[in-house]
Amino acid sequence: MAKQKKPITESKTPKGKAALQNEKPTKPLASEKANEPVPGKPLKKAPAKRAAKKTAPVPESRTIIFSVNFYTKYGQSLFVVGNHPKLGNNDVSRALPMHYVNKEFWAAELQLNADEISGGPITYNYVMKDEMGSFITDWGTDKQIDIAAFPHTKIYTRDAWNHAGYPENAFLTEPFKTVFLKDGFRAVKTTAQPKVFDHIFRLKAPLLKAGEVLCMLGSGDALHNWNVNDPIFLSREKESDYWEVKLNLSGPSDLNYKYGIYNTTDKRFVQYEEGDNRHLNGLASAGALTIVNDGFLYLPATAWKGAGVAVPVFSLRSDSGFGIGEFTDMKLLADWAVRCGLKLIQILPVNDTIATHSRQDSYPYSAISAFALNPVYLNLDPLIDGSLKAFYKEYAEKRIELNAKKEVDFDAVVRLKFEFLNRIYKQKKTATFKSKSYQDFFRKNEHWLQPYGLFCYFRDHYGTVDFSKWPQHKKYSKTIFSKLMKDETVADAISFHFFVQYHLHIQLKEATVYARSKNIIVKGDIPIGIYRFSCDAWQQPELYHMEMQAGAPPDDFAVKGQNWGFPTYNWKKMKEDDFEWWRKRFEQMSHYFDAFRIDHILGFFRIWSIPYEAVEGILGYFIPAIAVQEQEFAERNIYFNKERYCEPFINDAVLANLFGDKSALVKQRFLLEQDGLCKLKPAFNTQRKVEAYFEEKTEEDTTLKTGLFDLISNVILIEDRSFPGRYHFRISMEHTDSFNQLDHHTKDGLRTLYTNYFFERQDEFWKEEALQKLPALKRATNMLICGEDLGMVPSTVPDVMQDLGILSLEVQRMPKDARKQFSNPAEAPYLSVVTPSTHDMSTIRGWWKEDRSITQKFYQQSLHSSGPAPADCEPWINEAIVRQHLHSPAMWSIFQLQDLMGTDGAIRRENEEEERINIPADPKHYWRYRMHIGLETLLLKSDFNDRIKNDIHNAGR
């Protein structure tokens, strides 16, 4: 942040030469990262136009001269884009070009006749096109000119570029504007505005406290000669991002000035903003208006910090539960969060995952709809009234039985909830469908409700969600929907799902509104992928590459990689309608949440793509990527042998290494032998075929299946499915038997090319890919966005996330610095979330016992303790780790509920292994963790709650 000279606080003109600073100029704006789609793709639409306020007759024509403070270098050019035809109607390719004034300013002139003035305010942004053809757009929608409201014939703007990565922009997102800082966005009327004015000054200051207002002082009588006892006050409209003051500076101006804070309660000047004076020189002339957008108040913006708790909804336990957490339980969780001084509740995805009506559907990242909510989270109590008392006893008995279980019994919960829901539906459907609330809900959501309801009907009718196996209706058709809805029986079955979704919507909305009323925000989670047999894929299959699977490359937690099974996105197709599906998805999230986590944000840069015939993630490769071509091998004097590199290399030595004394059996049953080498028989030449074989032959030794998987993945290159003749290196190439049996020259050449492929050639390409997607999507919402950026992270990811103001995730045991074994929470960036563990990892206590050597290093290096580390993670150790994270400079420190409870020996679960939520290496893992004590009981644990609250308070959170 730029440091400005503080003026003398008495009625004297400040000494020293004032610096020309309209916005943080020490940030090299010209080097900012591109954050805008390619030309032809519109920016986020500006707010709806309102009727112009006419305070004087509208002149026949107007002139607007735009100018922005921006440091440029050779090859860069600037444009103005906005919601006016002459500004391109938000289309970057038709934006108004600007001209270079000097190294600090660019300007553009816009002439408007009378017909072009009406229609409401002009909302605009500046766009920089860099020497590579990429576009950067300044952030926000607060640059606005209501031309018809002013009598002036000429309007000058003096604008500050708003870098999306400024921390202050985070405080203009929904959680801060509507919850944490809502008092700071109230309407403030200070002094009467002059009827005649030639300047308007605007400034954003989201971190003002109650009773504080912005004021302005400067040189000369017009700015009260720096007299802090008589400042010029700024006003603000309700919920407006900026403060504003109108001034009549009477002619050409050359001003030194500064903003400050004034306490209206104590009637005293509090302080000036930091840094040098601001400066404005002669733009004003007779009949002209100068609008100065001065950006942000220059004060530290990294002091606000919060703490939160992360827990899946299904893990919540309450007296009114049904063997699983429900949306209504989130109110109790919010009460407990308030009791402990927490400010945020983070949950996992809550979309409908019911594909088989069994525990296979427990995986929350495998939703059959990206929009529908999961019926298991519906509390049935509010739906049961006098007309349903007949079965209430039966329902209550089942609830007690399920609620007593240690873990979630997903099969029983799903079966019983749907049984009771169908009985409730018969009694309640007519009244529900007639209600105005339901009709409003349906009208706003029918774009996904109709296909979802029909999809669920076919799922149940055909007994599978695999729509490729349905005898007909393999793709959604609105015509078919309309036709089937004329059949009363079918329409009733489809409408059941509308009924359930409506009541889920009501309960989730009530829960999040309740949390917000307690000054607690709820953070949702957007999965990076969609389920292969989902309503989304059925409705719009062209948006996905169904022949591929998304996953993650190998890491310490999954040595053979992860295969999530999701189809990968067809980004090229999605871009054609400006990512409408994604924008609708973000909009759906905003109905409930204040913030959200983008699962695996690296997928917006590139995704680990696995051919459908593979089972393990290790056979994947990054898409998009700059593949290796055949001539590159020749350039490095490497003999290119496609069959040797792309086919599994199998000889007796490889077989002995993988199968030992079973080599002969494997060779006889699964292989064909020729010239001393072997090939897999066609019936077993893919992992998918091998898996199918062993599913039918349950008596077979499963170690053979594992060995055959390894044999199939014993390759060096994988040919690109979409571009034959282009190749991707198999990750961990050097660990394959195929590589180890090559000569030294070939090994050295392949190593060089491998390093170039993974660590050199891709980063800028991947950055450009992300910048085609993320800026447009971020503009679709005003929620606070956090990205899960773990794994094999390209070097450009941190810069892109920082430039876009997307919070990163910092996990202590997954350092982003490869030279370190543990990250230090004290070194985390401000725009980040720090956490000791996530749902994909063991808890602190579980991790402590996994590897004694690692625990000992952590004990010495991170806890600065000597001697042998305790065998168990004692409560004081767990608490020390929590406190490290609470005292981090990061905006948020968020903890799994298990990790907070682990700080208290009387509260925590006896067996730490029962606290784990997910095991990423196991694609069939059963997600069933439940709290071992109820939320009602947890609220009464005063000693524990007080200690957590004191730790949070002492850390300044």
Side-chain angles (χ1 to χ4, degrees):
M1 184 170 292
K3 299 296 183 183
Q4 293 177 300
K5 297 177 182 177
K6 181 176 179 179
I8 299 172
T9 57
E10 312 207 312
S11 300
K12 298 179 181 178
T13 301
K15 297 179 181 179
K17 184 177 181 180
L20 176 61
Q21 297 187 8
N22 279 28
E23 180 63 279
K24 308 172 182 179
T26 56
K27 173 89 175 171
L29 294 174
S31 65
E32 290 181 11
K33 308 300 182 281
N35 65 349
E36 192 52 46
V38 295
K41 297 301 180 185
L43 303 174
K44 180 182 177 182
K45 293 181 180 178
K49 295 182 180 181
R50 56 181 174 79
K53 301 180 206 175
K54 298 185 181 181
T55 57
V58 181
E60 291 184 2
S61 64
R62 298 288 184 92
T63 301
I64 303 176
I65 298 177
F66 296 96
S67 68
V68 62
N69 179 203
F70 196 93
Y71 297 89
T72 53
K73 60 183 180 181
Y74 182 76
Q76 297 176 336
S77 54
L78 267 66
F79 304 83
V80 189
V81 67
N83 63 340
H84 191 280
K86 287 193 171 181
L87 295 180
N89 276 332
N90 292 319
D91 183 342
V92 179
S93 66
R94 297 189 290 119
L96 175 68
M98 304 186 76
H99 66 270
Y100 175 83
V101 177
N102 55 47
K103 68 178 182 179
E104 295 171 343
F105 277 94
W106 284 68
E109 183 173 312
L110 178 64
Q111 296 282 350
L112 300 174
N113 59 40
D115 294 337
E116 297 169 324
I117 293 172
S118 59
I122 290 177
T123 300
Y124 63 97
N125 290 87
Y126 295 102
V127 179
M128 189 273 281
K129 183 179 180 181
D130 67 18
E131 59 275 25
M132 301 298 293
S134 298
F135 287 83
I136 304 168
T137 297
D138 76 320
W139 196 248
T141 56
D142 56 282
K143 293 185 176 72
Q144 199 172 84
I145 304 173
D146 195 353
I147 309 172
F150 305 128
H152 308 83
T153 57
K154 183 173 287 189
I155 298 174
Y156 294 89
T157 75
R158 294 292 294 266
D159 288 313
W161 181 280
N162 183 12
H163 173 53
Y166 289 148
E168 295 93 334
N169 280 310
F171 302 119
L172 298 175
T173 57
E174 287 303 307
F176 291 97
K177 293 185 71 170
T178 62
V179 182
F180 302 130
L181 305 177
K182 58 186 175 184
D183 289 340
F185 288 91
R186 66 201 182 284
V188 177
K189 300 296 182 184
T190 50
T191 55
Q193 301 284 321
K195 293 183 179 180
V196 178
F197 55 90
D198 54 23
H199 282 74
I200 298 176
F201 290 85
R202 292 171 177 168
L203 187 74
K204 290 172 283 190
L207 291 174
L208 293 187
K209 301 173 184 175
E212 293 181 343
V213 298
L214 272 185
C215 62
M216 178 181 182
L217 288 165
S219 57
D221 293 340
L223 297 182
H224 297 195
N225 288 306
W226 302 104
N227 184 355
V228 297
N229 297 314
D230 183 25
I232 297 168
F233 294 109
L234 283 74
S235 301
R236 186 180 51 204
E237 299 292 332
K238 185 179 180 181
E239 297 182 357
S240 173
D241 287 350
Y242 59 81
W243 295 72
E244 179 179 285
V245 64
K246 296 182 175 72
L247 296 175
N248 185 14
L249 300 181
S250 302
S253 57
D254 191 359
L255 305 173
N256 295 309
Y257 65 101
K258 201 160 193 152
Y259 296 100
I261 300 173
Y262 190 91
N263 189 303
T264 56
T265 303
D266 300 337
K267 292 183 171 50
R268 64 180 179 86
F269 181 82
V270 178
Q271 69 179 105
Y272 278 105
E273 63 179 338
E274 294 181 351
D276 296 331
N277 303 331
R278 299 179 189 250
H279 184 75
L280 181 67
N281 58 358
L283 279 181
S285 59
L289 170 67
T290 299
I291 301 176
V292 182
N293 287 302
D294 260 332
F296 289 100
L297 182 70
Y298 293 159
L299 283 177
T302 57
W304 192 98
K305 296 191 294 183
V309 60
V311 58
V313 173
F314 63 77
S315 299
L316 299 176
R317 182 187 290 269
S318 73
D319 294 344
S320 64
F322 199 75
I324 194 169
E326 298 170 330
F327 288 146
T328 51
D329 294 329
M330 293 170 63
K331 296 180 182 180
L332 279 173
L333 183 62
D335 290 338
W336 177 76
V338 173
R339 176 67 178 82
C340 295
L342 297 162
K343 297 175 181 173
L344 177 148
I345 292 169
Q346 176 175 314
I347 61 176
L348 293 183
V350 289
N351 297 100
D352 187 357
T353 60
I354 308 301
T356 65
H357 291 83
S358 73
R359 68 183 56 192
Q360 294 177 34
D361 306 333
S362 67
Y363 181 34
Y365 290 90
S366 188
I368 65 167
S369 169
F371 298 89
L373 299 170
N374 200 323
V376 299
Y377 298 134
L378 186 65
N379 186 319
L380 304 186
D381 280 359
L383 280 66
I384 299 174
D385 56 19
S387 63
L388 295 163
K389 291 296 183 183
F391 81 87
Y392 184 77
K393 182 180 178 182
E394 178 187 355
Y395 162 72
E397 288 174 351
K398 292 295 184 183
R399 178 169 67 185
I400 292 171
E401 178 185 330
L402 289 173
N403 240 10
K405 296 191 175 187
K406 180 186 292 186
E407 299 173 331
V408 176
D409 185 343
F410 205 87
D411 301 76
V413 167
V414 171
R415 177 173 54 81
L416 288 167
K417 276 215 171 176
F418 272 89
E419 178 184 327
F420 287 126
L421 272 169
N422 273 287
R423 292 160 73 176
I424 291 170
Y425 173 65
K426 292 175 183 177
Q427 299 291 327
K428 306 284 289 187
K429 60 183 179 182
T430 301
T432 295
F433 294 153
K434 285 183 178 179
S435 69
K436 183 179 183 303
S437 175
Y438 170 81
Q439 291 170 11
D440 287 344
F441 165 78
F442 186 87
R443 184 176 62 256
K444 293 175 182 176
N445 295 278
E446 62 180 320
H447 71 91
W448 65 264
L449 265 176
Q450 289 185 350
Y452 165 76
L454 186 58
F455 180 86
C456 290
Y457 168 74
F458 285 144
R459 171 198 64 194
D460 299 337
H461 181 71
Y462 294 125
T464 179
V465 289
D466 186 350
F467 46 84
S468 67
K469 296 179 179 178
W470 295 350
Q472 51 185 337
H473 314 309
K474 297 180 187 295
K475 183 181 177 182
Y476 173 69
S477 163
K478 195 165 186 176
T479 302
I480 295 298
F481 172 83
S482 299
K483 181 179 179 181
L484 289 173
M485 287 298 285
K486 294 176 182 178
D487 183 314
E488 187 175 339
T489 301
V490 175
D492 189 62
I494 293 172
S495 298
F496 166 78
H497 303 289
F498 302 160
F499 173 89
V500 173
Q501 287 301 310
Y502 167 68
H503 287 289
L504 283 162
H505 163 76
I506 293 297
Q507 290 189 6
L508 179 55
K509 188 73 174 177
E510 286 179 351
T512 54
V513 168
Y514 179 85
R516 203 172 292 121
S517 74
K518 301 287 185 179
N519 290 326
I520 303 291
I521 67 167
V522 181
K523 178 182 174 185
D525 194 329
I526 285 191
I528 186 60
I530 65 156
Y531 183 43
R532 176 170 297 278
F533 305 119
S534 68
C535 178
D536 305 275
W538 177 61
Q539 186 180 1
Q540 294 178 284
E542 66 277 5
L543 297 183
Y544 316 99
H545 291 299
M546 302 299 290
E547 75 282 5
M548 302 299 288
Q549 306 167 100
D555 58 25
D556 292 341
F557 302 95
V559 294
K560 291 189 177 181
Q562 299 176 45
N563 183 354
W564 304 325
F566 311 141
T568 58
Y569 292 116
N570 184 347
W571 289 111
K572 183 178 180 180
K573 185 67 178 177
M574 287 182 160
K575 192 175 179 182
E576 291 178 3
D577 61 6
D578 197 26
F579 308 104
E580 181 182 13
W581 181 84
W582 276 100
R583 288 187 285 108
K584 286 180 177 178
R585 199 175 179 190
F586 282 16
E587 180 185 1
Q588 186 77 2
M589 293 285 287
S590 69
H591 292 165
Y592 312 109
F593 306 115
D594 308 281
F596 67 92
R597 166 188 177 271
I598 300 178
D599 169 57
H600 195 67
I601 197 172
L602 304 182
F604 288 91
F605 292 77
R606 78 292 185 273
I607 196 72
W608 189 249
S609 300
I610 307 156
Y612 184 70
E613 62 266 24
V615 173
E616 295 177 325
I618 203 164
L619 279 173
Y621 50 90
F622 288 122
I623 293 294
I626 303 173
V628 180
Q629 299 188 50
E630 188 173 335
Q631 65 266 25
E632 294 186 63
F633 294 89
E635 291 168 359
R636 290 167 173 79
N637 295 316
I638 306 169
Y639 173 67
F640 180 77
N641 185 329
K642 179 177 177 179
E643 183 177 357
R644 174 65 178 84
Y645 294 156
C646 295
E647 297 293 328
F649 179 73
I650 309 171
N651 61 14
D652 288 340
V654 171
L655 292 173
N657 184 39
L658 288 175
F659 300 101
D661 58 6
K662 296 179 181 177
S663 296
L665 171 65
V666 170
K667 185 181 292 189
Q668 183 268 328
R669 185 173 301 176
F670 302 105
L671 304 177
L672 298 171
E673 190 172 9
Q674 183 178 3
D675 299 328
L677 296 176
C678 295
K679 287 187 176 182
L680 288 149
K681 291 180 179 178
F684 307 106
N685 61 3
T686 72
Q687 290 185 340
R688 188 75 62 186
K689 292 178 182 178
V690 170
E691 182 179 55
Y693 171 82
F694 280 93
E695 283 179 353
E696 295 178 357
K697 308 285 185 179
T698 54
E699 73 282 358
E700 291 275 8
D701 185 351
T702 55
T703 60
L704 291 180
K705 181 177 80 169
T706 303
L708 288 168
F709 278 5
D710 290 343
L711 200 60
I712 292 167
S713 64
N714 185 33
V715 296
I716 292 172
L717 296 175
I718 302 171
E719 189 169 16
D720 195 302
R721 305 298 296 274
S722 302
F723 301 97
R726 298 183 184 182
Y727 305 92
H728 303 270
F729 275 102
R730 204 217 83 168
I731 198 163
S732 304
M733 169 195 72
E734 291 191 66
H735 296 155
T736 65
D737 285 328
S738 179
F739 179 83
N740 289 329
Q741 295 200 30
L742 292 169
D743 62 82
H744 290 296
H745 169 76
T746 303
K747 285 181 180 179
D748 289 343
L750 289 174
R751 282 193 193 100
T752 302
L753 194 52
Y754 178 95
T755 300
N756 173 271
Y757 172 82
F758 276 112
F759 304 107
E760 295 171 5
R761 71 167 69 189
Q762 312 289 357
D763 283 1
E764 288 300 314
F765 174 67
W766 285 336
K767 182 183 88 170
E768 293 301 319
E769 282 293 321
L771 293 174
Q772 299 297 316
K773 307 158 192 167
L774 284 173
L777 298 179
K778 187 172 186 292
R779 287 183 178 275
T781 178
N782 197 36
M783 290 185 286
L784 183 67
I785 303 178
C786 308
E788 186 262 299
D789 54 336
L790 305 178
M792 193 173 176
V793 183
S795 63
T796 53
V797 170
D799 285 343
V800 171
M801 291 180 66
Q802 182 180 3
D803 287 345
L804 293 178
I806 297 175
L807 275 62
S808 64
L809 179 62
E810 310 295 326
V811 182
Q812 192 169 27
R813 70 183 89 157
M814 290 188 71
K816 292 171 180 171
D817 185 342
R819 298 166 296 180
K820 297 181 178 179
Q821 190 160 12
F822 315 107
S823 66
N824 184 355
E827 297 174 354
Y830 178 65
L831 290 181
S832 71
V833 174
V834 293
T835 185
S837 67
T838 75
H839 65 274
D840 283 329
M841 305 173 185
S842 49
T843 60
I844 293 173
R845 294 173 62 207
W847 172 73
W848 192 265
K849 298 178 75 172
E850 286 176 357
D851 190 317
R852 181 70 180 167
S853 63
I854 293 177
T855 299
Q856 184 63 43
K857 290 178 182 177
F858 182 86
Y859 187 68
Q860 295 172 328
Q861 297 174 13
S862 297
L863 296 182
H864 308 293
S865 299
S866 57
D872 291 318
C873 184
E874 298 171 2
W876 74 266
I877 295 174
N878 197 318
E879 184 174 20
I881 294 171
V882 167
R883 285 177 174 171
Q884 281 184 338
H885 288 74
L886 286 173
H887 285 270
S888 167
M891 177 183 281
W892 288 102
S893 57
I894 300 177
F895 306 92
Q896 288 197 81
L897 178 62
Q898 307 94 295
D899 286 338
L900 292 176
M901 297 173 77
T903 64
D904 192 309
I907 295 289
R908 64 187 190 171
R909 205 182 199 117
E910 182 178 350
N911 183 358
E912 69 276 354
E913 293 181 3
E914 296 173 351
E915 295 181 323
R916 179 135 191 188
I917 295 173
N918 182 35
I919 301 175
D922 179 7
K924 297 182 179 179
H925 177 72
Y926 177 22
W927 297 55
R928 58 190 182 275
Y929 163 72
R930 289 186 80 198
M931 296 172 62
H932 63 291
I933 59 176
L935 286 162
E936 296 91 347
T937 303
L938 189 60
L939 271 163
L940 300 176
K941 300 294 183 180
S942 297
D943 291 343
F944 168 70
N945 295 332
D946 287 341
R947 184 167 46 75
I948 295 294
K949 186 172 185 176
N950 289 335
D951 283 346
I952 292 171
H953 175 76
N954 292 336
R957 292 189 180 273

PDB file of all heavy atoms in Angstrom, residues 75 238 376 436 484 496 688 780 856:
ATOM      1  N   GLY A  75       3.810  -1.332 -25.814  1.00  0.00           N
ATOM      2  CA  GLY A  75       2.993  -2.452 -26.269  1.00  0.00           C
ATOM      3  C   GLY A  75       1.662  -2.572 -25.567  1.00  0.00           C
ATOM      4  O   GLY A  75       0.817  -3.378 -25.977  1.00  0.00           O
ATOM      5  N   LYS A 238     -27.210   4.618   1.197  1.00  0.00           N
ATOM      6  CA  LYS A 238     -27.301   3.298   1.809  1.00  0.00           C
ATOM      7  C   LYS A 238     -26.776   2.219   0.870  1.00  0.00           C
ATOM      8  O   LYS A 238     -27.125   2.180  -0.304  1.00  0.00           O
ATOM      9  CB  LYS A 238     -28.749   2.991   2.194  1.00  0.00           C
ATOM     10  CG  LYS A 238     -28.923   1.673   2.950  1.00  0.00           C
ATOM     11  CD  LYS A 238     -30.370   1.435   3.327  1.00  0.00           C
ATOM     12  CE  LYS A 238     -30.533   0.119   4.081  1.00  0.00           C
ATOM     13  NZ  LYS A 238     -31.944  -0.148   4.447  1.00  0.00           N
ATOM     14  N   VAL A 376     -31.776 -35.924   1.982  1.00  0.00           N
ATOM     15  CA  VAL A 376     -31.448 -36.461   3.315  1.00  0.00           C
ATOM     16  C   VAL A 376     -31.317 -35.362   4.361  1.00  0.00           C
ATOM     17  O   VAL A 376     -31.377 -35.622   5.552  1.00  0.00           O
ATOM     18  CB  VAL A 376     -30.148 -37.300   3.290  1.00  0.00           C
ATOM     19  CG1 VAL A 376     -30.286 -38.492   2.371  1.00  0.00           C
ATOM     20  CG2 VAL A 376     -28.932 -36.457   2.922  1.00  0.00           C
ATOM     21  N   LYS A 436     -48.218 -19.125  -2.668  1.00  0.00           N
ATOM     22  CA  LYS A 436     -47.474 -18.152  -3.475  1.00  0.00           C
ATOM     23  C   LYS A 436     -45.969 -18.374  -3.324  1.00  0.00           C
ATOM     24  O   LYS A 436     -45.203 -18.216  -4.270  1.00  0.00           O
ATOM     25  CB  LYS A 436     -47.826 -16.731  -3.053  1.00  0.00           C
ATOM     26  CG  LYS A 436     -47.154 -15.656  -3.899  1.00  0.00           C
ATOM     27  CD  LYS A 436     -47.547 -14.269  -3.465  1.00  0.00           C
ATOM     28  CE  LYS A 436     -46.920 -13.202  -4.366  1.00  0.00           C
ATOM     29  NZ  LYS A 436     -45.463 -13.272  -4.420  1.00  0.00           N
ATOM     30  N   LEU A 484     -45.180 -35.638 -20.822  1.00  0.00           N
ATOM     31  CA  LEU A 484     -45.351 -36.522 -19.669  1.00  0.00           C
ATOM     32  C   LEU A 484     -46.140 -35.857 -18.544  1.00  0.00           C
ATOM     33  O   LEU A 484     -46.839 -36.536 -17.785  1.00  0.00           O
ATOM     34  CB  LEU A 484     -43.986 -36.981 -19.159  1.00  0.00           C
ATOM     35  CG  LEU A 484     -43.246 -37.977 -20.052  1.00  0.00           C
ATOM     36  CD1 LEU A 484     -41.844 -38.235 -19.532  1.00  0.00           C
ATOM     37  CD2 LEU A 484     -44.028 -39.289 -20.143  1.00  0.00           C
ATOM     38  N   PHE A 496     -43.420 -34.679  -7.034  1.00  0.00           N
ATOM     39  CA  PHE A 496     -42.902 -35.051  -5.707  1.00  0.00           C
ATOM     40  C   PHE A 496     -41.522 -34.436  -5.475  1.00  0.00           C
ATOM     41  O   PHE A 496     -41.218 -33.933  -4.392  1.00  0.00           O
ATOM     42  CB  PHE A 496     -42.836 -36.577  -5.585  1.00  0.00           C
ATOM     43  CG  PHE A 496     -42.024 -37.058  -4.415  1.00  0.00           C
ATOM     44  CD1 PHE A 496     -42.537 -37.047  -3.126  1.00  0.00           C
ATOM     45  CD2 PHE A 496     -40.726 -37.527  -4.596  1.00  0.00           C
ATOM     46  CE1 PHE A 496     -41.787 -37.493  -2.042  1.00  0.00           C
ATOM     47  CE2 PHE A 496     -39.962 -37.971  -3.531  1.00  0.00           C
ATOM     48  CZ  PHE A 496     -40.495 -37.960  -2.251  1.00  0.00           C
ATOM     49  N   ARG A 688     -10.064 -50.950 -17.069  1.00  0.00           N
ATOM     50  CA  ARG A 688     -11.509 -51.128 -16.951  1.00  0.00           C
ATOM     51  C   ARG A 688     -11.902 -52.578 -17.222  1.00  0.00           C
ATOM     52  O   ARG A 688     -12.752 -53.149 -16.525  1.00  0.00           O
ATOM     53  CB  ARG A 688     -12.214 -50.173 -17.917  1.00  0.00           C
ATOM     54  CG  ARG A 688     -13.709 -50.107 -17.787  1.00  0.00           C
ATOM     55  CD  ARG A 688     -14.160 -49.331 -16.579  1.00  0.00           C
ATOM     56  NE  ARG A 688     -13.749 -47.934 -16.592  1.00  0.00           N
ATOM     57  CZ  ARG A 688     -13.940 -47.099 -15.562  1.00  0.00           C
ATOM     58  NH1 ARG A 688     -14.543 -47.540 -14.470  1.00  0.00           N
ATOM     59  NH2 ARG A 688     -13.529 -45.859 -15.628  1.00  0.00           N
ATOM     60  N   ALA A 780     -19.678 -12.835 -11.722  1.00  0.00           N
ATOM     61  CA  ALA A 780     -21.071 -13.294 -11.664  1.00  0.00           C
ATOM     62  C   ALA A 780     -21.626 -13.286 -10.249  1.00  0.00           C
ATOM     63  O   ALA A 780     -22.815 -13.520 -10.062  1.00  0.00           O
ATOM     64  CB  ALA A 780     -21.164 -14.700 -12.250  1.00  0.00           C
ATOM     65  N   GLN A 856       7.935 -36.386  14.944  1.00  0.00           N
ATOM     66  CA  GLN A 856       9.082 -35.912  15.718  1.00  0.00           C
ATOM     67  C   GLN A 856       9.660 -34.629  15.112  1.00  0.00           C
ATOM     68  O   GLN A 856       9.998 -33.685  15.835  1.00  0.00           O
ATOM     69  CB  GLN A 856      10.162 -36.999  15.769  1.00  0.00           C
ATOM     70  CG  GLN A 856      11.360 -36.654  16.641  1.00  0.00           C
ATOM     71  CD  GLN A 856      10.989 -36.483  18.100  1.00  0.00           C
ATOM     72  OE1 GLN A 856      10.217 -37.270  18.653  1.00  0.00           O
ATOM     73  NE2 GLN A 856      11.517 -35.451  18.744  1.00  0.00           N
TER      74      GLN A 856
END
